[in-house]
């Protein structure tokens, strides 16, 4: 008997229900022995949502049986939904998929064709003269898989228990050794703890040696260094308490001492601090140059200075692209945080021209000050800007999908591929996001959603983090009562990060696609 029976999921065509029942009867021996608990869609209760029940039970299954026949392959739901999800779970190591060939069918090149099928030599069950013989072989093969998974789990539990025991003993020894020696009474207590935890003398000696004479594993040091670099890239430096706590947790897991950590962090942190100090110094000369040129323009309103030509403190010309890269350093010091340096210069120039117009009694153009609608792909964002400015959220949401699908070179009605979102043009992504953030007063936009996604445990690595995405859906209002709901706009102003959302409905592998866009937004902001 095991602590918890493995969950077995039947994926099949209803036209093979009789054969499924026969196989189920043969597998009853495993259920009686409490090795498995099987599930199929005939167990869905009246009133339950069948699609939700199938998804939940398949996602939590340890073993998935694909009952192969021509009807199973012909089923759109089985092919598009169940087989696809089964292979994703198998490839990620979350479930073991076993194809069971019930009836003859051509399944060469199918997603599951790479897997070992049963019965022997993938011979269809119905081709056996004695069908019980075929199902007996299938049952025996499934038993081997079940016993292997159970043994693997047992070893994992034992290792986890051993790790906990070692951690507890290590904690006790570090406490007693803090003053530099272990007293007679302290050694007695440590001996008692060793027996209670079931540790061998060799294990205890290794713990003591690691504390008194720590020698760091070079591979562990490198793993910590890579994580430290990621933390700096994602959260900046200095770290907040939460990031420090996470790093401390990893330090303990990697069994690195404070001395080891200091050796890794010291050169990296020193370099980061030096870079920050240099970044703080360099823009001052440019900023002063900018202000001086704008002041000079005040003396000659008819010939304002060009906002795209500046020189640095060494006398070299600084181009437009370099000024854009410095824009983030001046946030909080210019009136419009969404503008680049060029846009701010144009705005200042426009204000001076308006002042001149007043003196000459000339009319002032109403669109003198414009948003930055830059695009790497030649996309016109005027309509999106106007819809957001008018707070026509539904139309703006749909227009967002249209400009995004054009930005990846596709036509309206096409779907996004996650890889296209992972490589979405940064300029266009920033333009769309800045318009949403500006005209919603910081409530909507991709950057707002990215912040919430990261808070929910998502990582900016482009990988699909299922639980984090569910929490994100709950936070922004895309899920209600653990169910994904349709996009509505009657209450959209009540949820921070709710919009834009229409584009997400056009993403193949929706959660994966959103993770790709969040990762792209992080990379584009660096």
């Amino acid at each position: 008997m095991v602590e918890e029976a493995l969950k077995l999921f039947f994926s099949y065509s209803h036209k093979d229900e009789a054969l499924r029942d026969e196989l189920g009867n043969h597998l009853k021996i495993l259920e009686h022995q409490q090795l498995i608990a099987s599930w199929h869609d005939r167990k869905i209760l009246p009133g339950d949502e069948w699609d939700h029940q199938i998804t939940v039970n398949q996602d939590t299954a340890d073993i998935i049986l694909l009952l192969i026949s021509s009807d199973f392959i012909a089923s759109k739901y089985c092919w598009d939904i169940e087989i696809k999800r089964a292979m994703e779970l198998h490839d990620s190591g979350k479930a073991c998929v076993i194809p069971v060939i019930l009836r003859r069918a051509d399944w060469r090149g199918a997603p599951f064709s790479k897997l070992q099928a049963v019965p022997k030599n993938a011979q269809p069950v119905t081709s056996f003269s004695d069908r019980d013989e075929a199902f007996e072989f299938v049952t025996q093969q499934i038993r081997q898989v079940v016993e292997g998974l159970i043994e693997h789990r047992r070893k994992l539990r034992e290792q986890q228990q051993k790790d906990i025991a070692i951690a507890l003993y290590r904690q006790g020894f570090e406490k007693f050794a803090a003053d530099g020696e272990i007293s007679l009474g302290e050694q007695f207590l440590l001996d008692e703890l060793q027996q209670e935890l079931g540790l061998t003398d060799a294990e205890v000696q290794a713990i003591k040696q690691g504390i008194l004479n720590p020698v760091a594993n070079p591979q562990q040091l490198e793993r910590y260094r890579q994580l430290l670099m990621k933390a700096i890239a994602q959260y900046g430096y200095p770290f907040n308490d939460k990031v420090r706590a996470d790093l401390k947790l990893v330090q303990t897991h990697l069994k690195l001492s404070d001395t080891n950590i200091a050796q890794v962090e010291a050169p990296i942190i020193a370099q980061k601090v030096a870079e920050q100090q240099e970044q703080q110094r360099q823009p001052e000369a440019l900023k002063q140059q900018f202000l001086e040129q704008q002041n000079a323009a005040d003396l000659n309103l008819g010939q304002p200075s060009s906002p795209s030509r500046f020189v640095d403190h060494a006398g070299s010309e600084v181009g437009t692209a370099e000024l854009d890269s410095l824009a983030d350093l001046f946030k909080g010091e210019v009136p419009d945080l969404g503008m680049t340096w060029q846009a701010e210069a144009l705005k200042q120039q426009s204000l001076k021209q308006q002042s001149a117009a007043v003196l000459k009694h000339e009319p002032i153009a109403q669109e003198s000050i414009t948003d930055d609608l830059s695009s790497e792909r030649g996309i016109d964002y005027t309509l999106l800007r106007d819809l957001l400015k008018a707070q026509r959220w539904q139309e703006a949401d749909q227009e967002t999908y249209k400009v995004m699908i054009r930005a990846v070179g596709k036509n309206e009605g096409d779907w996004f591929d996650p890889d296209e979102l992972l490589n979405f043009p940064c300029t266009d992504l920033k333009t769309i996001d800045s318009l949403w953030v500006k005209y919603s007063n910081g409530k909507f936009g991709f950057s707002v959603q990215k912040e919430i996604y990261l808070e929910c445990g998502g990582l900016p690595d482009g990988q699909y983090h299922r639980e984090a995405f569910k929490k994100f859906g709950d936070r922004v209002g895309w899920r209600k009562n653990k169910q994904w709901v349709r996009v509505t706009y009657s209450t959209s102003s009540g949820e921070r990060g709710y919009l834009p959302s229409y584009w997400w409905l056009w993403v193949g592998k929706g959660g994966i696609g959103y993770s790709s866009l969040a990762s792209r937004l992080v990379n584009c902001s660096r």
Side-chain angles (χ1 to χ4, degrees), residues 2 46 264:
V2 296
V264 174

Side-chain angles (χ1 to χ4, degrees), residues 52-103:
H52 174 70
Q53 288 296 320
I54 290 175
T55 299
V56 169
N57 281 280
Q58 186 176 26
D59 283 357
T60 57
D62 300 294
I63 299 174
I64 300 175
L65 300 183
L66 303 180
L67 306 190
I68 310 302
S69 69
S70 58
D71 289 309
F72 177 75
I73 294 175
S75 169
K76 184 173 178 60
Y77 188 87
C78 291
W79 184 267
D80 291 342
I81 305 298
E82 292 189 8
I83 292 178
K84 181 179 179 181
R85 182 57 182 156
M87 295 309 299
E88 289 176 351
L89 293 169
H90 182 89
D91 292 340
S92 65
K94 296 179 180 178
C96 176
V97 174
I98 304 175
V100 181
I101 313 303
L102 295 182
R103 297 188 283 123

Side-chain angles (χ1 to χ4, degrees), residues 234-300:
Q234 181 173 340
Y235 301 107
Y237 186 83
F239 298 135
N240 58 35
D241 292 342
K242 184 179 183 303
V243 177
R244 267 296 171 200
D246 285 343
L247 290 173
K248 188 66 176 178
L249 185 66
V250 173
Q251 173 187 344
T252 303
H253 174 73
L254 297 178
K255 299 178 181 179
L256 297 175
S257 67
D258 291 342
T259 303
N260 299 146
I261 296 302
Q263 291 173 347
V264 174
E265 289 191 353
I268 296 175
I269 298 304
Q271 180 181 356
K272 188 64 181 177
V273 171
E275 289 175 356
Q276 290 176 345
Q277 292 173 345
E278 183 65 19
Q279 289 174 349
Q280 292 171 0
R281 287 194 298 266
Q282 285 186 350
E284 287 302 321
L286 290 174
K287 182 178 177 182
Q288 185 62 34
Q289 185 73 21
F290 172 78
L291 296 175
E292 289 174 358
Q293 291 187 14
Q294 293 305 306
N295 290 333
D298 287 337
L299 303 178
N300 189 354

Side-chain angles (χ1 to χ4, degrees), residues 375 377-384 387 392-416 420-421 424-425 428 432 436 446 489 500-507:
S375 171
R377 305 294 170 84
I379 307 299
D380 184 1
Y381 292 106
T382 304
L383 178 57
L384 176 61
L387 291 172
R392 292 159 64 176
W393 303 122
Q394 181 171 0
E395 295 167 88
D397 199 15
Q398 294 171 352
E399 176 66 13
T400 298
Y401 157 73
K402 295 176 183 178
V403 295
M404 287 180 66
I405 202 67
R406 289 201 298 270
V408 298
K410 290 185 175 181
N411 298 319
E412 184 177 346
D414 290 337
W415 291 68
F416 293 105
E420 293 169 341
L421 296 171
F424 198 89
D428 295 75
I432 297 170
W436 272 99
F446 294 131
Y489 299 89
S501 59
Y502 181 78
W503 70 273
W504 181 66
L505 303 178
W506 292 87
V507 180

